[in-house]
Amino acid sequence: MPDDRQILWEPGAERAEASSMAGFMRWLEAERGLRFDDYHALWEWSVTDLEAFWTAIIAYFDLPVSDWTDVLPERKMPGADWFPGAETNWAAQILRHAEDKPGEEAIVCRSETFGRTSLTWGDFRDRVGSLQATLRDMGVVNGDRVVAILPNAQESLIACLAVIGMGAIWSLCAPDMGETAILDRFRQIEPKVLIAQDGYIHAGKRIDRSAVILDIAGKLPTVAHRIMLPVLNDLPAGWTAWDDTQAAPQAPRIEMVPFSHPIWIVHSSGTTGNPKPIVYGHGGVMV
């Protein structure tokens, strides 16, 4: 059969040379003496010389990964153990920008509920640190699970970085998910803290999720502390207000953890039984 596939678009030479890929290839030639004529040659090297490729990625992007004994001692799946002995933390990589450009915008969000909101890198860092202080007071330590029912907004990012930076493990569900769907996910991972927003505005309508959230919290027996971002109702009894967790801006404390230490848990769809927890690691996510 004739091959009638067509390339729909290609970048111009100037744009291609300004890409991170082109910059990486130039760095490889200058720093490692490795020259590749095109992307396909680079790809072939990346999947055959795993040690050289992944150590080059860490060096080129200056990732916060400590010394390691080996890149991949055994090439096996499942059970691959990447960079044994190394320590890192994805939050350190993200928040390092706060040191270089504290006054520049880090996050810009738009939603029907809040309109346009933004945070500078400095504010973002300090809010992460403030929430960490609250979580430490609640007894959260390395390896604990903190779960959230939050929309895709700055509060989610603050909470995610705060939890991950402590070596705790993050998991999130969207506020429009059903109660059973959320419980099927969170019950399996036995969280210590629940963070939630009581509702949102969609298509001009107030979507009140407070009753569902309170019911979910009551059905998670391992949850010892609850944090609420109230946007439609008053703060429920027994919950900590989100604003109170942001009252003491401070630099976060980042705990370095093993390269494969769990960073967050996502779940399968649940179409063939209970949703299956899928655990990601700090190093794998970062590189």
Side-chain angles (χ1 to χ4, degrees):
M1 295 180 64
D3 187 350
D4 58 356
R5 293 174 296 178
Q6 295 181 344
I7 296 175
L8 299 180
W9 177 85
E10 284 186 303
E14 183 177 351
R15 184 168 183 174
E17 284 301 304
S19 68
S20 293
M21 185 73 70
F24 180 52
M25 293 173 74
R26 289 191 294 270
W27 181 89
L28 285 172
E29 184 172 5
E31 299 295 328
R32 301 293 168 90
L34 297 170
R35 187 178 186 280
F36 302 98
D37 293 330
D38 54 31
Y39 170 80
H40 296 289
L42 175 67
W43 174 84
E44 183 65 30
W45 169 72
S46 76
V47 297
T48 53
D49 194 345
L50 299 182
E51 288 76 11
F53 173 70
W54 287 111
T55 54
I57 287 289
I58 289 173
Y60 177 70
F61 289 103
D62 190 26
L63 300 180
V65 180
S66 69
D67 294 335
W68 52 85
T69 56
D70 202 348
V71 174
L72 185 62
E74 292 186 79
R75 299 191 182 187
K76 63 178 183 178
M77 285 294 290
D81 183 16
W82 290 85
F83 291 95
E87 289 193 333
T88 189
N89 193 305
W90 180 72
Q93 169 67 7
I94 302 300
L95 294 174
R96 68 195 298 180
H97 299 296
E99 303 303 319
D100 302 328
K101 43 190 176 185
E104 293 185 19
E105 280 187 329
I107 302 170
V108 178
C109 295
R110 291 183 182 274
S111 72
E112 263 193 275
T113 308
F114 297 110
R116 184 190 189 278
T117 59
S118 66
L119 281 178
T120 65
W121 278 107
D123 289 339
F124 182 34
R125 172 198 58 204
D126 293 346
R127 288 172 181 261
V128 167
S130 183
L131 179 56
Q132 277 191 344
T134 298
L135 293 174
R136 283 193 296 271
D137 288 343
M138 290 178 172
V140 174
V141 296
N142 183 311
D144 283 339
R145 277 75 62 206
V146 176
V147 298
I149 306 170
L150 292 172
N152 189 18
Q154 66 184 35
E155 290 79 15
S156 301
L157 295 172
I158 291 167
C160 177
L161 268 291
V163 170
I164 288 167
M166 301 172 68
I169 305 165
W170 173 252
S171 193
L172 176 141
C173 285
D176 58 350
M177 290 180 65
E179 177 179 341
T180 299
I182 294 173
L183 284 170
D184 284 348
R185 287 159 173 79
F186 287 169
R187 274 177 174 154
Q188 296 185 69
I189 61 177
E190 300 181 337
K192 178 177 282 187
V193 176
L194 169 65
I195 305 173
Q197 182 174 305
D198 69 352
Y200 53 93
I201 298 172
H202 176 69
K205 298 179 180 178
R206 292 163 56 91
I207 311 298
D208 190 341
R209 300 288 290 168
S210 56
V212 171
I213 288 170
L214 291 176
D215 200 41
I216 289 171
K219 293 177 180 178
L220 292 173
T222 61
V223 167
H225 299 278
R226 303 165 178 82
I227 299 171
M228 177 71 79
L229 176 60
V231 296
L232 300 181
N233 305 282
D234 293 332
L235 182 73
W239 288 69
T240 298
W242 171 265
D243 285 350
D244 290 343
T245 74
Q246 302 290 282
Q250 57 189 279
R253 298 199 327 232
I254 305 299
E255 180 175 343
M256 303 306 281
V257 295
F259 190 87
S260 298
H261 185 80
I263 183 172
W264 53 55
I265 300 171
V266 299
H267 293 82
S268 66
S269 63
T271 53
T272 57
N274 270 351
K276 312 302 188 294
I278 305 166
V279 183
Y280 286 76
H282 278 253
V285 166
M286 184 163 55
V287 301

PDB file of all heavy atoms in Angstrom, residues 73 77 223 241 243 273:
ATOM      1  N   PRO A  73      21.045  -1.092  38.497  1.00  0.00           N
ATOM      2  CA  PRO A  73      21.839  -2.311  38.693  1.00  0.00           C
ATOM      3  C   PRO A  73      21.297  -3.524  37.949  1.00  0.00           C
ATOM      4  O   PRO A  73      22.060  -4.327  37.416  1.00  0.00           O
ATOM      5  CB  PRO A  73      21.782  -2.528  40.210  1.00  0.00           C
ATOM      6  CG  PRO A  73      21.482  -1.188  40.773  1.00  0.00           C
ATOM      7  CD  PRO A  73      20.616  -0.504  39.776  1.00  0.00           C
ATOM      8  N   MET A  77      11.798  -5.737  34.818  1.00  0.00           N
ATOM      9  CA  MET A  77      10.483  -5.195  35.099  1.00  0.00           C
ATOM     10  C   MET A  77       9.522  -6.350  35.372  1.00  0.00           C
ATOM     11  O   MET A  77       9.501  -7.316  34.613  1.00  0.00           O
ATOM     12  CB  MET A  77       9.987  -4.384  33.907  1.00  0.00           C
ATOM     13  CG  MET A  77      10.650  -3.035  33.759  1.00  0.00           C
ATOM     14  SD  MET A  77      10.250  -1.896  35.105  1.00  0.00           S
ATOM     15  CE  MET A  77       8.526  -1.577  34.750  1.00  0.00           C
ATOM     16  N   VAL A 223      -8.466   9.301  59.022  1.00  0.00           N
ATOM     17  CA  VAL A 223      -8.272  10.755  58.964  1.00  0.00           C
ATOM     18  C   VAL A 223      -8.359  11.339  60.374  1.00  0.00           C
ATOM     19  O   VAL A 223      -9.389  11.249  61.039  1.00  0.00           O
ATOM     20  CB  VAL A 223      -9.309  11.421  58.037  1.00  0.00           C
ATOM     21  CG1 VAL A 223      -9.308  12.939  58.226  1.00  0.00           C
ATOM     22  CG2 VAL A 223      -9.018  11.071  56.581  1.00  0.00           C
ATOM     23  N   ALA A 241      -9.596  25.916  59.257  1.00  0.00           N
ATOM     24  CA  ALA A 241      -9.801  26.769  58.090  1.00  0.00           C
ATOM     25  C   ALA A 241      -8.523  26.849  57.260  1.00  0.00           C
ATOM     26  O   ALA A 241      -7.425  26.981  57.806  1.00  0.00           O
ATOM     27  CB  ALA A 241     -10.233  28.167  58.519  1.00  0.00           C
ATOM     28  N   ASP A 243      -7.441  29.278  55.532  1.00  0.00           N
ATOM     29  CA  ASP A 243      -6.750  30.560  55.764  1.00  0.00           C
ATOM     30  C   ASP A 243      -5.860  30.501  56.996  1.00  0.00           C
ATOM     31  O   ASP A 243      -4.803  31.144  57.039  1.00  0.00           O
ATOM     32  CB  ASP A 243      -7.762  31.702  55.902  1.00  0.00           C
ATOM     33  CG  ASP A 243      -8.364  32.108  54.560  1.00  0.00           C
ATOM     34  OD1 ASP A 243      -7.852  31.644  53.518  1.00  0.00           O
ATOM     35  OD2 ASP A 243      -9.341  32.877  54.566  1.00  0.00           O
ATOM     36  N   GLY A 273     -13.568  -3.218  38.738  1.00  0.00           N
ATOM     37  CA  GLY A 273     -13.453  -3.405  40.179  1.00  0.00           C
ATOM     38  C   GLY A 273     -13.005  -2.117  40.840  1.00  0.00           C
ATOM     39  O   GLY A 273     -13.108  -1.032  40.264  1.00  0.00           O
TER      40      GLY A 273
END
